[in-house]
Amino acid sequence: PNSNNVLPITSAIILASGVASFGAPVGREPNGIRAIFVLLQYKADANLTVDTRSTTPLMTALSRIREKDRLLQVVNLLVQAKADVNLRSYVALDTEHRNTSGRFLAGTKTQGTMQNTTTPLALAASRSPVSVVKHLVECGARLFEKSWGKIPLTWALEQSMAQNHAYLLQESQLAKSLFIACEKGDVE
Protein backbone atom coordinates (compact mmCIF):
# COMPACT_ATOMS: atom_id res chain seq x y z
CA PRO A 1 0.00 0.00 0.00
CA ASN A 2 1.03 3.60 -0.49
CA SER A 3 0.92 6.27 2.22
CA ASN A 4 -2.89 6.50 1.83
CA ASN A 5 -3.31 2.73 2.28
CA VAL A 6 -4.23 2.27 -1.39
CA LEU A 7 -2.86 -0.72 -3.26
CA PRO A 8 -1.25 -0.15 -6.68
CA ILE A 9 -3.94 -2.27 -8.36
CA THR A 10 -6.65 -0.14 -6.73
CA SER A 11 -4.89 3.03 -7.88
CA ALA A 12 -4.78 1.68 -11.43
CA ILE A 13 -8.51 0.87 -11.31
CA ILE A 14 -9.27 4.38 -10.08
CA LEU A 15 -7.18 5.77 -12.94
CA ALA A 16 -9.06 3.53 -15.39
CA SER A 17 -12.39 4.84 -14.03
CA GLY A 18 -11.57 8.36 -15.13
CA VAL A 19 -12.58 9.80 -11.74
CA ALA A 20 -10.27 10.52 -8.83
CA SER A 21 -11.30 9.51 -5.32
CA PHE A 22 -12.58 13.02 -4.60
CA GLY A 23 -14.80 13.02 -7.71
CA ALA A 24 -12.70 15.15 -10.06
CA PRO A 25 -12.20 13.86 -13.60
CA VAL A 26 -8.69 12.56 -14.30
CA GLY A 27 -9.12 11.76 -17.98
CA ARG A 28 -10.10 8.50 -19.56
CA GLU A 29 -6.89 7.53 -21.23
CA PRO A 30 -6.05 3.83 -21.39
CA ASN A 31 -3.16 4.23 -18.92
CA GLY A 32 -5.20 2.79 -16.06
CA ILE A 33 -6.09 -0.32 -18.02
CA ARG A 34 -2.50 -0.73 -19.15
CA ALA A 35 -1.35 -0.35 -15.55
CA ILE A 36 -3.85 -3.00 -14.42
CA PHE A 37 -2.62 -5.34 -17.15
CA VAL A 38 1.04 -4.82 -16.21
CA LEU A 39 0.39 -5.25 -12.48
CA LEU A 40 -1.51 -8.46 -13.10
CA GLN A 41 1.20 -9.72 -15.48
CA TYR A 42 3.68 -9.24 -12.62
CA LYS A 43 1.41 -11.30 -10.37
CA ALA A 44 -0.43 -8.59 -8.43
CA ASP A 45 -3.03 -10.36 -6.28
CA ALA A 46 -6.46 -9.78 -7.84
CA ASN A 47 -8.11 -10.47 -4.46
CA LEU A 48 -5.83 -8.45 -2.19
CA THR A 49 -7.22 -5.82 0.15
CA VAL A 50 -5.47 -3.52 2.59
CA ASP A 51 -7.51 -4.91 5.49
CA THR A 52 -10.73 -6.82 6.15
CA ARG A 53 -12.82 -3.65 5.74
CA SER A 54 -11.41 -2.73 2.32
CA THR A 55 -12.89 -3.55 -1.05
CA THR A 56 -11.33 -6.04 -3.43
CA PRO A 57 -10.02 -4.85 -6.80
CA LEU A 58 -13.07 -6.41 -8.48
CA MET A 59 -15.45 -4.56 -6.18
CA THR A 60 -13.51 -1.32 -6.71
CA ALA A 61 -13.89 -1.71 -10.47
CA LEU A 62 -17.61 -2.48 -10.18
CA SER A 63 -18.24 0.49 -7.94
CA ARG A 64 -16.03 3.04 -9.74
CA ILE A 65 -15.98 2.39 -13.50
CA ARG A 66 -19.12 3.60 -15.26
CA GLU A 67 -18.20 3.12 -18.92
CA LYS A 68 -19.56 -0.26 -20.07
CA ASP A 69 -16.72 -1.42 -22.34
CA ARG A 70 -14.02 -0.23 -19.96
CA LEU A 71 -15.70 -1.96 -17.01
CA LEU A 72 -16.09 -5.23 -18.89
CA GLN A 73 -12.43 -5.07 -19.95
CA VAL A 74 -11.21 -4.50 -16.38
CA VAL A 75 -13.52 -7.18 -14.93
CA ASN A 76 -12.26 -9.62 -17.56
CA LEU A 77 -8.61 -8.82 -16.72
CA LEU A 78 -9.27 -9.33 -13.01
CA VAL A 79 -11.15 -12.60 -13.53
CA GLN A 80 -8.39 -13.92 -15.79
CA ALA A 81 -5.99 -13.11 -12.95
CA LYS A 82 -8.08 -15.32 -10.63
CA ALA A 83 -10.19 -12.63 -8.96
CA ASP A 84 -12.76 -14.46 -6.82
CA VAL A 85 -16.19 -13.53 -8.23
CA ASN A 86 -17.80 -14.44 -4.90
CA LEU A 87 -15.41 -12.63 -2.54
CA ARG A 88 -17.46 -10.27 -0.36
CA SER A 89 -16.59 -6.68 0.58
CA TYR A 90 -18.12 -4.00 2.75
CA VAL A 91 -19.93 -2.00 0.06
CA ALA A 92 -23.44 -0.61 0.53
CA LEU A 93 -26.05 -1.20 -2.15
CA ASP A 94 -28.84 1.15 -1.16
CA THR A 95 -29.29 4.88 -0.61
CA GLU A 96 -29.34 4.42 3.14
CA HIS A 97 -25.65 3.52 3.04
CA ARG A 98 -24.39 5.87 0.30
CA ASN A 99 -22.83 9.26 0.61
CA THR A 100 -24.51 12.41 -0.76
CA SER A 101 -22.85 12.13 -4.17
CA GLY A 102 -24.51 8.74 -4.67
CA ARG A 103 -21.29 6.75 -4.46
CA PHE A 104 -21.22 3.57 -2.46
CA LEU A 105 -19.46 3.87 0.85
CA ALA A 106 -16.70 1.34 1.22
CA GLY A 107 -16.33 0.34 4.84
CA THR A 108 -20.01 0.83 5.68
CA LYS A 109 -20.97 -1.47 8.48
CA THR A 110 -23.97 -1.77 10.73
CA GLN A 111 -23.33 -4.94 12.67
CA GLY A 112 -19.96 -5.92 11.22
CA THR A 113 -21.26 -9.29 10.09
CA MET A 114 -21.01 -11.04 6.74
CA GLN A 115 -24.70 -10.31 6.13
CA ASN A 116 -23.69 -6.65 5.83
CA THR A 117 -21.27 -7.30 3.01
CA THR A 118 -21.77 -7.36 -0.72
CA THR A 119 -20.96 -9.88 -3.42
CA PRO A 120 -19.65 -8.71 -6.79
CA LEU A 121 -22.81 -10.05 -8.47
CA ALA A 122 -25.12 -8.07 -6.19
CA LEU A 123 -23.14 -4.89 -6.82
CA ALA A 124 -23.12 -5.50 -10.58
CA ALA A 125 -26.83 -6.38 -10.60
CA SER A 126 -27.64 -3.10 -8.86
CA ARG A 127 -25.66 -0.79 -11.16
CA SER A 128 -23.67 -2.39 -14.01
CA PRO A 129 -24.58 -3.25 -17.61
CA VAL A 130 -26.08 -6.68 -18.20
CA SER A 131 -22.93 -7.77 -20.08
CA VAL A 132 -20.96 -7.47 -16.83
CA VAL A 133 -23.63 -9.37 -14.88
CA LYS A 134 -23.58 -12.14 -17.50
CA HIS A 135 -19.78 -12.33 -17.37
CA LEU A 136 -19.79 -12.72 -13.58
CA VAL A 137 -22.45 -15.46 -13.75
CA GLU A 138 -20.50 -17.26 -16.48
CA CYS A 139 -17.44 -17.10 -14.23
CA GLY A 140 -19.26 -18.76 -11.34
CA ALA A 141 -20.86 -15.95 -9.34
CA ARG A 142 -23.47 -17.39 -6.99
CA LEU A 143 -27.00 -16.35 -7.94
CA PHE A 144 -28.59 -16.84 -4.52
CA GLU A 145 -25.87 -15.42 -2.27
CA LYS A 146 -27.43 -12.64 -0.22
CA SER A 147 -25.96 -9.18 0.20
CA TRP A 148 -27.49 -7.01 2.89
CA GLY A 149 -30.23 -9.66 3.20
CA LYS A 150 -31.21 -9.76 -0.50
CA ILE A 151 -30.20 -11.82 -3.52
CA PRO A 152 -28.80 -10.10 -6.64
CA LEU A 153 -32.11 -10.54 -8.45
CA THR A 154 -33.81 -8.39 -5.82
CA TRP A 155 -31.11 -5.72 -6.01
CA ALA A 156 -31.53 -5.49 -9.78
CA LEU A 157 -35.30 -5.04 -9.36
CA GLU A 158 -35.03 -2.48 -6.56
CA GLN A 159 -32.43 -0.41 -8.44
CA SER A 160 -34.56 -0.46 -11.64
CA MET A 161 -32.00 -2.46 -13.62
CA ALA A 162 -34.57 -4.19 -15.84
CA GLN A 163 -32.13 -6.02 -18.13
CA ASN A 164 -30.16 -7.35 -15.17
CA HIS A 165 -33.36 -8.40 -13.43
CA ALA A 166 -34.63 -10.21 -16.54
CA TYR A 167 -31.32 -11.97 -17.08
CA LEU A 168 -30.96 -13.06 -13.44
CA LEU A 169 -34.57 -14.22 -13.36
CA GLN A 170 -33.93 -16.35 -16.43
CA GLU A 171 -30.60 -17.66 -15.15
CA SER A 172 -31.84 -18.59 -11.74
CA GLN A 173 -34.71 -20.46 -13.30
CA LEU A 174 -37.14 -18.69 -11.04
CA ALA A 175 -39.16 -17.92 -14.14
CA LYS A 176 -39.76 -21.63 -14.70
CA SER A 177 -40.67 -22.18 -11.06
CA LEU A 178 -43.08 -19.24 -11.08
CA PHE A 179 -44.65 -20.44 -14.33
CA ILE A 180 -45.25 -23.92 -12.90
CA ALA A 181 -46.66 -22.44 -9.69
CA CYS A 182 -49.02 -20.19 -11.67
CA GLU A 183 -50.24 -23.11 -13.78
CA LYS A 184 -50.95 -25.09 -10.60
CA GLY A 185 -52.79 -22.10 -9.18
CA ASP A 186 -50.32 -21.68 -6.31
CA VAL A 187 -49.65 -18.04 -7.22
CA GLU A 188 -52.23 -15.37 -7.95
Side-chain angles (χ1 to χ4, degrees), residues 97-120:
H97 302 353
R98 288 188 203 162
N99 65 18
T100 54
S101 68
R103 289 208 177 85
F104 295 107
L105 294 174
T108 299
K109 58 182 177 176
T110 52
Q111 316 242 338
T113 64
M114 288 306 286
Q115 74 177 13
N116 297 323
T117 60
T118 303
T119 64

Side-chain angles (χ1 to χ4, degrees), residues 13 17-18 23 32 43 48 59-60 88 99 127 149 185:
I13 291 168
S17 76
K43 308 297 182 210
L48 187 64
M59 294 295 272
T60 299
R88 306 175 77 84
N99 65 18
R127 64 181 299 159

